[in-house]
Amino acid sequence: MAKVTPASHIADIRGALQRGDKVVYRVRDGVQQAYIVKHPNKTKPSDAQKQMRASFKSLTQQVKAIYADSEQLAVWQARFEAYVSTRQYKSQLNRYIREQQERSLNNPRSTFHFLPAAHRTPKPLTTLYGFILSTLSKEQNT
């Protein structure tokens, strides 16, 4: 029989602990879950999946090229700083952080656990890399 001692210094764990691990951790509706992937998906990707993966590969290559060019990187850095300094961004980030703290496992009496995902505040972009990737993706789709 296993003996479990809860570790209070770990507030959250998500995903697999190592590559190829079949035990996956997640949080659903505020409840920590661990499950075993018994039959991982080994089917061939569909045409839509292939197209999406090719698009993502192209975008990541563009971002790497921007990072390699210091002039382009400076332009993107200025755009990101302008984006982060807006009042709308700051209020969305504060709202997102507040909701995440309320959803934490340390607050079991919270009613936020049952709020549908569509009504939750989306996480704003917090890194330059993510900002560039997201902006290029939006420009590509329009």
Side-chain angles (χ1 to χ4, degrees), residues 56-70 72-73 76 128-130 132-133 136:
F56 185 75
K57 181 179 180 180
S58 168
L59 287 171
T60 56
Q61 288 173 346
Q62 290 176 29
V63 175
K64 288 177 184 178
I66 290 170
Y67 264 77
D69 184 7
S70 60
Q72 282 187 347
L73 187 60
W76 279 100
L128 177 61
Y129 190 94
I132 297 171
L133 190 68
L136 290 176

Side-chain angles (χ1 to χ4, degrees), residues 67-108:
Y67 264 77
D69 184 7
S70 60
E71 292 177 11
Q72 282 187 347
L73 187 60
V75 170
W76 279 100
Q77 182 70 38
R79 287 178 68 181
F80 179 65
E81 289 172 4
Y83 166 74
V84 169
S85 64
T86 62
R87 181 180 221 157
Q88 179 184 4
Y89 173 82
K90 290 176 183 176
S91 66
Q92 182 181 0
L93 181 62
N94 287 333
R95 198 167 45 250
Y96 174 78
I97 291 171
R98 199 172 37 244
E99 287 177 5
Q100 292 304 309
Q101 288 172 343
E102 193 173 329
R103 283 185 68 199
S104 74
L105 298 175
N106 299 332
N107 190 1

